[in-house]
Amino acid sequence: MGVVTPPNDTPHAGTAAGAAKSPKQDRSRATRQRLLEAAVACLAVHGWAGSTVQVVAERAGVSRGAAQHHFPTREDLFTGAVEYVAEERSAALRALPVQGRAEVVAALVDLYTGPLFRAALQLWVAASNEPQLRPRVTELEARVGRETHRIAVALLGADETRPGVRETVQGLLDMARGLGLANVLTDDTARRRRVVAQWAALVESALD
């Protein structure tokens, strides 16, 4: 019988190296996630002026150097944060179960009156005065707006081939954004409930 050649150990070594990298990659992803969440929280609480990289890093529990490793500039950090916010907003919409239009209208308004929208609003204000930030935020918000409109159309079962339906959906989103702005300075919950109920009835009538 011939000598049996033992299996080559190289793949095992590669697998071991890959396994060794995995925890490091997991830690890197976790750090990035903490920084994005901290940036969103800082924007909502401190606004743009008070949300420095150092403040965000401290809130995330990481060093300033670690923050700059993931996001080299302040603009990178906060554009990333708004993109994260946008993805969270879209994910929340996509996760909604199929339900009545009144519930969809209420859910859309909730999207614009919660802390995620408040954080995005702070970045809009900053972008209006920061030339380096403005084009990145403008482009991102345009994409988010298209995505939100598309999801709203699907959730409402709206037929945009009919005259006025597209404008009705866009008007709903504009109204929701306006209610979000009204809620920034004061708690507008009581009045908002009545407005949302009326808009739900209008949407139902327009889309039938």
Side-chain angles (χ1 to χ4, degrees):
M1 179 181 294
V3 177
V4 177
T5 304
N8 190 330
D9 286 339
T10 303
H12 297 282
T15 302
K21 289 180 181 178
S22 183
K24 184 176 181 180
Q25 291 171 343
D26 289 344
R27 287 195 299 272
S28 179
R29 282 193 292 267
T31 298
R32 180 183 175 86
Q33 180 74 9
R34 288 204 307 275
L35 284 165
L36 291 173
E37 291 174 351
V40 171
C42 285
L43 281 172
V45 174
H46 304 297
W48 172 257
S51 298
T52 64
V53 174
Q54 183 63 43
V55 168
V56 172
E58 289 174 0
R59 189 180 186 101
V62 304
S63 68
R64 181 187 176 93
Q68 290 180 317
H69 170 74
H70 289 277
F71 302 99
T73 69
R74 187 182 187 212
E75 288 78 11
D76 289 333
L77 172 60
F78 287 103
T79 302
V82 169
E83 185 162 15
Y84 165 73
V85 167
E87 290 302 322
E88 289 292 296
R89 286 158 61 188
S90 294
L93 273 175
R94 289 193 294 265
L96 287 174
V98 176
Q99 53 188 328
R101 284 174 176 155
E103 289 78 14
V104 170
V105 170
L108 289 168
V109 171
D110 286 344
L111 182 71
Y112 283 101
T113 54
L116 292 176
F117 174 76
R118 185 181 293 259
L121 177 61
Q122 292 290 346
L123 197 67
W124 297 352
V125 173
S128 68
N129 297 306
E130 297 287 336
Q132 288 182 315
L133 195 60
R134 188 183 304 121
R136 301 174 73 177
V137 174
T138 300
E139 179 185 358
L140 181 59
E141 283 301 318
R143 179 171 63 80
V144 173
R146 290 192 297 270
E147 173 75 356
T148 303
H149 186 97
R150 184 187 65 76
I151 292 173
V153 167
L155 289 171
L156 292 165
D159 178 5
E160 289 197 305
T161 64
R162 293 172 51 198
V165 169
R166 180 175 179 80
E167 290 75 15
T168 296
V169 174
Q170 192 57 57
L172 166 62
L173 296 176
D174 290 342
M175 180 274 298
R177 189 179 298 110
L179 289 176
L181 291 172
N183 200 54
V184 169
L185 295 178
T186 59
D187 184 354
D188 204 36
T189 304
R191 185 182 72 89
R192 187 165 67 246
R193 284 199 198 98
R194 297 192 297 273
V195 172
V196 170
Q198 179 63 24
W199 261 91
L202 291 172
V203 168
E204 187 70 56
S205 174
L207 299 186
D208 273 349

